[in-house]
Amino acid sequence: MKIGIAGAGLLGRLLAWNLLQRGHQVTLFERGSRAAELSAAIVAASMLAPYSEVVSSERCVFDWGRMALTWWPEELAALEEITGQHVDFGNKGSVVVAHKLDESSLNHFEQQLRGKVQDCDEFIERIDRRRLAELEPELAERYHGGLFLAEEAYLDNEALLISLETAISKLGGKWREFSEVQSVDAGKIRLANEDYSFDWAIDSRGMGAKVQLPALRGVRGEVLWVHAPEVNLQRPIRLMHPRYKLYISPRAGNRYVIGATEIESESMKPVTVRSSLELMSALYSVHSGFAEATVLHAYAHCRPAMPDNLPEIKCADGLLVVNGLYRHGYLLSPHVLESALAMLRKSGVGQRYA
Ligand SMILES: Cc1cc2nc3c(=O)[nH]c(=O)nc-3n(C[C@H](O)[C@H](O)[C@H](O)COP(=O)(O)OP(=O)(O)OC[C@H]3O[C@@H](n4cnc5c(N)ncnc54)[C@H](O)[C@@H]3O)c2cc1C
Protein backbone atom coordinates (compact mmCIF):
# COMPACT_ATOMS: atom_id res chain seq x y z
CA MET A 1 0.00 0.00 0.00
CA LYS A 2 0.98 3.65 -0.44
CA ILE A 3 1.27 5.25 2.97
CA GLY A 4 1.96 8.92 3.78
CA ILE A 5 3.21 9.90 7.23
CA ALA A 6 3.00 13.47 8.53
CA GLY A 7 5.67 14.12 11.17
CA ALA A 8 9.01 12.28 11.30
CA GLY A 9 9.74 12.41 15.03
CA LEU A 10 9.75 9.30 17.17
CA LEU A 11 6.41 7.73 16.18
CA GLY A 12 6.60 8.73 12.52
CA ARG A 13 10.02 7.10 12.11
CA LEU A 14 9.10 3.94 14.02
CA LEU A 15 5.95 3.53 11.94
CA ALA A 16 7.80 4.20 8.69
CA TRP A 17 10.53 1.66 9.41
CA ASN A 18 8.04 -1.00 10.49
CA LEU A 19 5.71 -0.45 7.52
CA LEU A 20 8.62 -0.49 5.07
CA GLN A 21 9.75 -3.82 6.53
CA ARG A 22 6.27 -5.12 5.74
CA GLY A 23 6.64 -4.14 2.11
CA HIS A 24 4.60 -0.91 1.96
CA GLN A 25 5.62 2.27 0.12
CA VAL A 26 6.14 5.05 2.62
CA THR A 27 6.57 8.82 2.21
CA LEU A 28 7.47 10.94 5.26
CA PHE A 29 6.56 14.64 5.46
CA GLU A 30 8.55 16.61 8.02
CA ARG A 31 8.49 20.35 8.65
CA GLY A 32 12.15 20.32 9.74
CA SER A 33 15.00 18.29 8.34
CA ARG A 34 15.52 14.56 8.66
CA ALA A 35 17.84 15.33 11.61
CA ALA A 36 14.64 15.65 13.70
CA GLU A 37 15.79 18.96 15.20
CA LEU A 38 12.18 20.17 15.62
CA SER A 39 10.92 17.04 17.41
CA ALA A 40 10.35 16.39 21.10
CA ALA A 41 12.15 13.09 20.43
CA ILE A 42 15.56 14.75 20.04
CA VAL A 43 15.16 16.73 23.27
CA ALA A 44 14.16 13.76 25.44
CA ALA A 45 16.33 12.02 28.01
CA SER A 46 14.96 8.75 26.57
CA MET A 47 14.84 6.96 29.89
CA LEU A 48 12.78 3.78 30.08
CA ALA A 49 11.59 4.18 33.63
CA PRO A 50 8.29 2.36 34.24
CA TYR A 51 8.86 2.22 38.02
CA SER A 52 9.75 5.88 38.50
CA GLU A 53 6.97 6.99 36.16
CA VAL A 54 4.14 4.89 37.59
CA VAL A 55 4.26 6.83 40.85
CA SER A 56 2.52 9.74 39.13
CA SER A 57 0.77 7.77 36.34
CA GLU A 58 -1.86 5.13 35.73
CA ARG A 59 -0.83 1.52 36.32
CA CYS A 60 -1.12 0.80 32.56
CA VAL A 61 1.94 3.04 31.98
CA PHE A 62 3.91 0.52 34.03
CA ASP A 63 2.54 -2.54 32.22
CA TRP A 64 2.94 -1.07 28.73
CA GLY A 65 6.29 0.44 29.71
CA ARG A 66 7.75 -2.84 30.97
CA MET A 67 7.19 -4.29 27.51
CA ALA A 68 9.60 -1.63 26.19
CA LEU A 69 12.45 -3.11 28.23
CA THR A 70 12.56 -6.26 26.10
CA TRP A 71 11.18 -4.72 22.89
CA TRP A 72 13.88 -2.08 22.39
CA PRO A 73 16.93 -4.39 22.50
CA GLU A 74 15.35 -6.55 19.77
CA GLU A 75 14.40 -3.53 17.67
CA LEU A 76 17.86 -1.97 18.08
CA ALA A 77 19.50 -5.26 17.02
CA ALA A 78 17.28 -5.38 13.90
CA LEU A 79 18.18 -1.76 13.12
CA GLU A 80 21.90 -2.46 13.58
CA GLU A 81 21.67 -5.38 11.20
CA ILE A 82 20.36 -3.21 8.40
CA THR A 83 22.26 0.03 9.11
CA GLY A 84 25.50 -1.18 10.73
CA GLN A 85 24.93 1.60 13.29
CA HIS A 86 25.02 0.78 16.99
CA VAL A 87 22.58 2.47 19.40
CA ASP A 88 23.57 2.32 23.10
CA PHE A 89 21.02 0.66 25.37
CA GLY A 90 21.81 0.95 29.09
CA ASN A 91 20.09 -1.72 31.17
CA LYS A 92 21.83 -1.57 34.51
CA GLY A 93 18.81 -0.16 36.36
CA SER A 94 18.52 3.28 37.92
CA VAL A 95 19.25 4.77 41.34
CA VAL A 96 17.06 7.21 43.30
CA VAL A 97 18.70 9.32 46.00
CA ALA A 98 17.72 12.17 48.33
CA HIS A 99 19.70 14.50 50.56
CA LYS A 100 19.38 13.74 54.28
CA LEU A 101 16.94 16.60 54.83
CA ASP A 102 14.69 15.33 52.02
CA GLU A 103 14.61 11.73 53.21
CA SER A 104 10.83 11.97 53.62
CA SER A 105 10.42 12.62 49.85
CA LEU A 106 12.30 9.40 49.13
CA ASN A 107 10.26 7.44 51.69
CA HIS A 108 7.02 8.77 50.23
CA PHE A 109 8.14 7.90 46.70
CA GLU A 110 9.04 4.35 47.79
CA GLN A 111 5.73 3.91 49.60
CA GLN A 112 3.70 5.05 46.58
CA LEU A 113 5.77 2.92 44.20
CA ARG A 114 5.47 -0.27 46.25
CA GLY A 115 1.74 0.36 46.62
CA LYS A 116 1.30 0.52 42.85
CA VAL A 117 3.49 -2.40 41.76
CA GLN A 118 3.20 -4.94 44.55
CA ASP A 119 3.59 -7.77 42.04
CA CYS A 120 7.06 -6.52 40.98
CA ASP A 121 8.34 -5.68 44.45
CA GLU A 122 11.49 -7.77 43.96
CA PHE A 123 12.85 -5.25 41.45
CA ILE A 124 12.70 -2.42 44.01
CA GLU A 125 15.66 -2.52 46.40
CA ARG A 126 16.25 -0.22 49.35
CA ILE A 127 20.02 0.25 49.40
CA ASP A 128 22.49 1.37 52.05
CA ARG A 129 25.75 3.25 51.53
CA ARG A 130 27.77 0.05 50.98
CA ARG A 131 25.47 -1.14 48.18
CA LEU A 132 25.37 2.37 46.69
CA ALA A 133 29.17 2.31 46.66
CA GLU A 134 29.05 -0.91 44.60
CA LEU A 135 26.56 0.55 42.13
CA GLU A 136 27.66 4.18 41.91
CA PRO A 137 30.92 4.65 43.81
CA GLU A 138 31.02 8.41 43.16
CA LEU A 139 27.71 9.00 44.96
CA ALA A 140 28.48 7.03 48.12
CA GLU A 141 30.29 9.87 49.88
CA ARG A 142 27.34 12.19 49.59
CA TYR A 143 24.38 9.85 50.11
CA HIS A 144 23.87 7.18 52.72
CA GLY A 145 21.70 5.09 50.41
CA GLY A 146 18.59 5.26 48.27
CA LEU A 147 16.57 3.01 45.99
CA PHE A 148 17.80 0.75 43.22
CA LEU A 149 15.25 0.06 40.45
CA ALA A 150 16.90 -2.92 38.78
CA GLU A 151 14.81 -3.12 35.61
CA GLU A 152 15.00 0.50 34.46
CA ALA A 153 16.95 1.41 31.33
CA TYR A 154 17.71 4.16 28.82
CA LEU A 155 18.75 4.42 25.22
CA ASP A 156 20.73 6.89 23.12
CA ASN A 157 18.00 8.87 21.36
CA GLU A 158 20.34 10.84 19.08
CA ALA A 159 21.82 7.62 17.70
CA LEU A 160 18.38 5.99 17.45
CA LEU A 161 16.89 8.82 15.36
CA ILE A 162 19.88 8.74 13.00
CA SER A 163 19.70 4.96 12.73
CA LEU A 164 15.97 5.06 11.95
CA GLU A 165 16.62 7.66 9.25
CA THR A 166 19.28 5.42 7.68
CA ALA A 167 17.04 2.33 7.85
CA ILE A 168 14.08 4.17 6.30
CA SER A 169 16.24 5.46 3.44
CA LYS A 170 17.82 2.01 2.88
CA LEU A 171 14.38 0.40 2.62
CA GLY A 172 13.31 2.93 0.01
CA GLY A 173 11.24 5.31 2.19
CA LYS A 174 10.84 8.77 0.62
CA TRP A 175 11.68 11.87 2.65
CA ARG A 176 9.95 15.19 2.09
CA GLU A 177 11.86 17.48 4.42
CA PHE A 178 10.91 21.10 5.16
CA SER A 179 7.32 20.25 4.23
CA GLU A 180 4.85 21.92 6.59
CA VAL A 181 1.70 19.78 6.58
CA GLN A 182 -1.54 21.78 6.81
CA SER A 183 -3.93 18.87 7.41
CA VAL A 184 -4.11 15.09 7.43
CA ASP A 185 -7.34 13.38 6.39
CA ALA A 186 -8.35 9.91 5.16
CA GLY A 187 -5.83 9.08 2.41
CA LYS A 188 -4.76 12.72 2.07
CA ILE A 189 -1.87 14.86 3.26
CA ARG A 190 -2.26 18.53 2.44
CA LEU A 191 0.60 21.02 2.19
CA ALA A 192 0.14 24.75 1.51
CA ASN A 193 0.34 24.34 -2.28
CA GLU A 194 -0.13 20.64 -2.93
CA ASP A 195 -2.27 17.67 -1.93
CA TYR A 196 -0.85 14.15 -1.81
CA SER A 197 -3.06 11.04 -2.04
CA PHE A 198 -2.31 7.71 -0.38
CA ASP A 199 -4.10 4.49 0.51
CA TRP A 200 -3.50 5.48 4.14
CA ALA A 201 -2.44 8.74 5.76
CA ILE A 202 -0.85 8.77 9.22
CA ASP A 203 -0.81 11.79 11.48
CA SER A 204 2.17 11.59 13.88
CA ARG A 205 2.91 15.30 14.14
CA GLY A 206 3.09 15.42 17.95
CA MET A 207 2.32 18.98 19.05
CA GLY A 208 2.02 19.98 15.37
CA ALA A 209 -1.30 18.07 15.19
CA LYS A 210 -3.03 20.42 17.64
CA VAL A 211 -4.98 22.15 14.87
CA GLN A 212 -6.77 18.86 14.20
CA LEU A 213 -6.66 17.47 17.77
CA PRO A 214 -7.91 20.34 19.92
CA ALA A 215 -7.76 18.30 23.16
CA LEU A 216 -3.99 17.94 22.77
CA ARG A 217 -1.94 20.12 25.13
CA GLY A 218 1.75 20.82 25.45
CA VAL A 219 3.67 20.30 28.68
CA ARG A 220 6.87 22.27 28.47
CA GLY A 221 10.11 20.54 29.39
CA GLU A 222 13.66 21.86 29.50
CA VAL A 223 16.86 19.82 29.54
CA LEU A 224 20.58 20.54 29.57
CA TRP A 225 23.18 18.34 27.90
CA VAL A 226 26.53 18.53 29.65
CA HIS A 227 30.00 17.08 29.20
CA ALA A 228 31.44 16.20 32.61
CA PRO A 229 34.88 14.49 32.35
CA GLU A 230 35.11 14.31 36.17
CA VAL A 231 31.83 12.42 36.57
CA ASN A 232 31.46 8.70 35.98
CA LEU A 233 27.90 7.51 36.48
CA GLN A 234 26.81 4.12 35.19
CA ARG A 235 23.07 4.53 35.06
CA PRO A 236 20.24 7.13 35.31
CA ILE A 237 20.11 8.87 38.70
CA ARG A 238 17.04 10.60 40.14
CA LEU A 239 17.20 13.13 42.92
CA MET A 240 14.12 13.40 45.13
CA HIS A 241 13.70 16.99 46.15
CA PRO A 242 10.58 18.79 47.38
CA ARG A 243 10.90 21.50 44.70
CA TYR A 244 13.35 20.52 41.98
CA LYS A 245 13.06 16.93 40.87
CA LEU A 246 16.10 16.10 38.83
CA TYR A 247 17.30 13.23 36.70
CA ILE A 248 20.65 12.57 35.10
CA SER A 249 20.71 10.22 32.13
CA PRO A 250 24.17 9.11 30.95
CA ARG A 251 25.48 9.11 27.40
CA ALA A 252 28.76 7.81 25.97
CA GLY A 253 31.86 9.94 26.51
CA ASN A 254 30.96 11.37 29.95
CA ARG A 255 28.01 13.27 28.54
CA TYR A 256 24.80 13.55 30.56
CA VAL A 257 21.25 14.69 29.85
CA ILE A 258 19.97 16.70 32.81
CA GLY A 259 16.26 17.15 33.19
CA ALA A 260 13.68 18.14 33.28
CA THR A 261 11.31 20.91 34.10
CA GLU A 262 7.59 20.15 33.74
CA ILE A 263 5.53 23.27 33.17
CA GLU A 264 1.88 23.47 32.04
CA SER A 265 2.70 25.76 29.15
CA GLU A 266 2.93 25.45 25.39
CA SER A 267 5.70 28.01 25.15
CA MET A 268 8.54 26.87 22.89
CA LYS A 269 10.84 29.73 23.88
CA PRO A 270 14.44 28.83 24.73
CA VAL A 271 15.41 27.54 28.20
CA THR A 272 14.94 30.22 30.87
CA VAL A 273 17.57 31.42 33.36
CA ARG A 274 15.36 30.28 36.25
CA SER A 275 15.09 26.73 34.92
CA SER A 276 18.83 26.58 34.16
CA LEU A 277 19.64 27.76 37.68
CA GLU A 278 17.32 25.21 39.25
CA LEU A 279 18.63 22.33 37.15
CA MET A 280 22.26 23.31 37.58
CA SER A 281 22.16 23.88 41.33
CA ALA A 282 20.37 20.57 41.88
CA LEU A 283 22.92 18.94 39.58
CA TYR A 284 25.89 20.35 41.47
CA SER A 285 24.36 19.12 44.72
CA VAL A 286 24.44 15.53 43.39
CA HIS A 287 28.13 15.49 42.40
CA SER A 288 30.67 18.29 42.74
CA GLY A 289 32.41 17.04 39.56
CA PHE A 290 29.59 18.71 37.62
CA ALA A 291 31.08 22.11 38.57
CA GLU A 292 33.63 21.77 35.78
CA ALA A 293 31.15 20.35 33.26
CA THR A 294 30.53 22.25 30.05
CA VAL A 295 27.01 22.84 28.76
CA LEU A 296 26.64 21.32 25.29
CA HIS A 297 22.98 22.12 24.63
CA ALA A 298 20.02 23.69 26.40
CA TYR A 299 16.81 22.42 24.82
CA ALA A 300 13.15 23.21 25.42
CA HIS A 301 10.17 21.45 23.85
CA CYS A 302 6.61 20.47 24.68
CA ARG A 303 5.49 16.97 25.51
CA PRO A 304 2.31 16.23 23.51
CA ALA A 305 -0.36 15.20 26.04
CA MET A 306 -4.04 14.30 25.98
CA PRO A 307 -6.24 15.29 28.98
CA ASP A 308 -5.63 11.91 30.71
CA ASN A 309 -1.90 11.91 29.82
CA LEU A 310 -2.35 8.58 28.03
CA PRO A 311 -1.64 7.88 24.34
CA GLU A 312 -4.34 8.28 21.72
CA ILE A 313 -4.64 5.93 18.72
CA LYS A 314 -7.46 6.43 16.23
CA CYS A 315 -7.77 4.26 13.16
CA ALA A 316 -10.54 4.56 10.60
CA ASP A 317 -10.58 3.84 6.88
CA GLY A 318 -7.55 5.54 5.39
CA LEU A 319 -6.52 7.55 8.46
CA LEU A 320 -4.39 6.63 11.48
CA VAL A 321 -3.82 9.23 14.20
CA VAL A 322 -1.24 8.51 16.94
CA ASN A 323 -0.40 11.06 19.58
CA GLY A 324 -0.33 11.98 23.27
CA LEU A 325 2.87 10.17 24.27
CA TYR A 326 3.43 12.89 26.88
CA ARG A 327 6.59 12.23 28.93
CA HIS A 328 6.60 8.55 27.93
CA GLY A 329 7.50 8.57 24.24
CA TYR A 330 10.34 6.05 24.43
CA LEU A 331 8.67 4.11 27.21
CA LEU A 332 5.30 3.70 25.50
CA SER A 333 6.07 3.84 21.78
CA PRO A 334 6.60 0.04 21.59
CA HIS A 335 3.08 -0.53 22.92
CA VAL A 336 1.58 2.27 20.80
CA LEU A 337 3.37 1.09 17.67
CA GLU A 338 2.33 -2.55 18.09
CA SER A 339 -1.29 -1.50 18.80
CA ALA A 340 -1.36 0.81 15.78
CA LEU A 341 0.10 -1.89 13.51
CA ALA A 342 -2.50 -4.38 14.78
CA MET A 343 -5.30 -1.87 14.00
CA LEU A 344 -3.89 -1.30 10.52
CA ARG A 345 -3.74 -5.07 9.92
CA LYS A 346 -7.38 -5.39 10.97
CA SER A 347 -8.22 -2.63 8.52
CA GLY A 348 -6.59 -4.52 5.68
CA VAL A 349 -3.08 -3.06 5.68
CA GLY A 350 -1.44 -6.47 5.50
CA GLN A 351 2.08 -7.78 5.37
CA ARG A 352 3.90 -8.80 2.22
CA TYR A 353 5.70 -11.55 4.13
CA ALA A 354 2.94 -12.97 6.32
C1 LIG B 1 12.20 17.51 28.02
C2 LIG B 1 11.64 16.19 27.59
C3 LIG B 1 12.14 15.03 28.16
C4 LIG B 1 11.60 13.79 27.79
N1 LIG B 1 12.13 12.65 28.35
C5 LIG B 1 11.60 11.44 28.03
C6 LIG B 1 12.13 10.26 28.61
O1 LIG B 1 13.10 10.29 29.36
N2 LIG B 1 11.54 9.07 28.29
C7 LIG B 1 10.49 8.99 27.44
O2 LIG B 1 9.99 7.88 27.22
N3 LIG B 1 9.97 10.11 26.85
C8 LIG B 1 10.50 11.32 27.14
N4 LIG B 1 9.99 12.46 26.57
C9 LIG B 1 8.80 12.36 25.72
C10 LIG B 1 9.08 12.09 24.24
O3 LIG B 1 10.08 12.92 23.76
C11 LIG B 1 7.78 12.33 23.45
O4 LIG B 1 6.71 11.65 24.06
C12 LIG B 1 7.91 11.82 22.00
O5 LIG B 1 8.98 12.46 21.37
C13 LIG B 1 6.61 12.07 21.23
O6 LIG B 1 6.80 11.50 19.96
P1 LIG B 1 5.99 12.01 18.69
O7 LIG B 1 6.52 11.28 17.53
O8 LIG B 1 4.53 11.95 18.99
O9 LIG B 1 6.34 13.57 18.61
P2 LIG B 1 7.72 14.24 18.16
O10 LIG B 1 8.86 13.42 18.58
O11 LIG B 1 7.68 15.67 18.61
O12 LIG B 1 7.63 14.21 16.56
C14 LIG B 1 6.70 14.99 15.85
C15 LIG B 1 7.33 15.39 14.52
O13 LIG B 1 6.33 16.00 13.70
C16 LIG B 1 6.90 17.13 13.07
N5 LIG B 1 5.80 18.06 12.76
C17 LIG B 1 5.03 18.75 13.62
N6 LIG B 1 4.11 19.49 12.95
C18 LIG B 1 4.32 19.27 11.64
C19 LIG B 1 3.71 19.74 10.44
N7 LIG B 1 2.67 20.59 10.47
N8 LIG B 1 4.18 19.29 9.25
C20 LIG B 1 5.21 18.40 9.19
N9 LIG B 1 5.84 17.94 10.29
C21 LIG B 1 5.40 18.35 11.50
C22 LIG B 1 7.85 17.70 14.10
O14 LIG B 1 8.82 18.55 13.51
C23 LIG B 1 8.46 16.41 14.68
O15 LIG B 1 9.60 16.01 13.97
C24 LIG B 1 10.53 13.72 26.87
C25 LIG B 1 10.06 14.89 26.28
C26 LIG B 1 10.60 16.12 26.62
C27 LIG B 1 10.10 17.37 25.97
Side-chain angles (χ1 to χ4, degrees):
M1 292 219 180
K2 276 177 66 188
I3 299 177
I5 300 181
L10 178 60
L11 279 176
R13 278 167 206 244
L14 283 174
L15 278 158
W17 133 259
N18 275 276
L19 289 165
L20 284 160
Q21 283 174 292
R22 288 161 174 78
H24 301 291
Q25 292 171 41
V26 176
T27 307
L28 276 155
F29 296 82
E30 167 57 43
R31 68 178 171 186
S33 81
R34 60 179 82 183
E37 73 284 0
L38 300 182
S39 66
I42 196 82
V43 170
S46 49
M47 289 181 302
L48 307 170
Y51 291 82
S52 305
E53 291 298 324
V54 75
V55 169
S56 48
S57 312
E58 307 263 343
R59 165 72 199 220
C60 58
V61 169
F62 177 76
D63 297 323
W64 297 338
R66 263 187 107 208
M67 166 197 166
L69 302 171
T70 47
W71 188 91
W72 276 113
E74 283 173 23
E75 196 74 357
L76 298 183
L79 270 171
E80 187 164 350
E81 204 168 298
I82 187 158
T83 62
Q85 296 163 350
H86 177 72
V87 178
D88 275 348
F89 183 81
N91 60 353
K92 295 185 190 164
S94 73
V95 165
V96 188
V97 290
H99 296 298
K100 195 111 192 102
L101 279 175
D102 304 324
E103 186 76 20
S104 56
S105 304
L106 182 68
N107 293 340
H108 188 218
F109 177 84
E110 182 183 2
Q111 217 173 28
Q112 287 177 296
L113 173 57
R114 289 193 191 274
K116 278 202 166 167
V117 298
Q118 286 163 7
D119 47 326
C120 293
D121 207 43
E122 73 266 32
F123 299 110
I124 306 166
E125 183 187 342
R126 188 80 195 201
I127 55 173
D128 58 12
R129 195 189 297 273
R130 193 190 48 77
R131 178 84 168 113
L132 181 60
E134 281 168 19
L135 294 165
E136 293 292 349
E138 296 184 7
L139 296 186
E141 253 181 49
R142 207 162 273 212
Y143 300 99
H144 63 279
L147 277 183
F148 175 48
L149 306 174
E151 284 202 323
E152 293 202 334
Y154 70 94
L155 56 80
D156 179 342
N157 57 329
E158 276 182 328
L160 171 71
L161 294 169
I162 293 171
S163 178
L164 282 167
E165 182 220 318
T166 309
I168 291 166
S169 302
K170 279 203 164 178
L171 293 181
K174 287 197 196 116
W175 286 89
R176 296 207 179 272
E177 298 170 87
F178 308 109
S179 297
E180 178 86 31
V181 172
Q182 305 293 315
S183 62
V184 185
D185 297 294
K188 217 160 229 65
I189 292 185
R190 186 160 292 141
L191 273 56
N193 308 319
E194 286 157 293
D195 283 0
Y196 291 84
S197 294
F198 298 95
D199 297 310
W200 277 78
I202 298 180
D203 190 350
S204 53
R205 286 176 290 168
M207 280 310 297
K210 194 171 164 68
V211 271
Q212 289 187 272
L213 259 185
L216 193 70
R217 77 182 201 288
V219 181
R220 179 176 161 88
E222 295 150 294
V223 292
L224 304 174
W225 287 57
V226 302
H227 178 225
E230 293 177 24
V231 179
N232 299 286
L233 299 173
Q234 307 298 312
R235 48 181 65 72
I237 309 295
R238 271 175 204 260
L239 175 68
M240 288 293 118
H241 187 283
R243 283 198 308 275
Y244 321 127
K245 290 198 174 57
L246 180 89
Y247 58 68
I248 303 168
S249 181
R251 294 290 186 274
N254 294 78
R255 292 175 308 138
Y256 299 90
V257 185
I258 315 302
T261 57
E262 174 145 354
I263 304 166
E264 282 294 334
S265 157
E266 293 186 358
S267 165
M268 297 284 259
K269 69 182 178 187
V271 177
T272 62
V273 169
R274 177 206 288 246
S275 297
S276 311
L277 283 172
E278 287 176 1
L279 289 172
M280 286 190 200
S281 43
L283 179 65
Y284 177 62
S285 78
V286 172
H287 191 311
S288 58
F290 280 115
E292 294 305 318
T294 49
V295 178
L296 303 172
H297 313 288
Y299 290 131
H301 210 289
C302 285
R303 308 167 176 99
M306 298 306 288
D308 58 4
N309 292 338
L310 293 175
E312 173 114 336
I313 312 174
K314 286 196 284 196
C315 185
D317 271 350
L319 176 66
L320 172 72
V321 178
V322 274
N323 215 315
L325 265 68
Y326 181 44
R327 50 183 290 142
H328 304 134
Y330 290 87
L331 185 65
L332 298 189
S333 51
H335 166 78
V336 169
L337 177 79
E338 296 297 344
S339 308
L341 290 173
M343 286 183 191
L344 285 174
R345 268 196 305 276
K346 261 192 175 169
S347 309
V349 183
Q351 286 182 234
R352 195 165 59 182
Y353 310 110

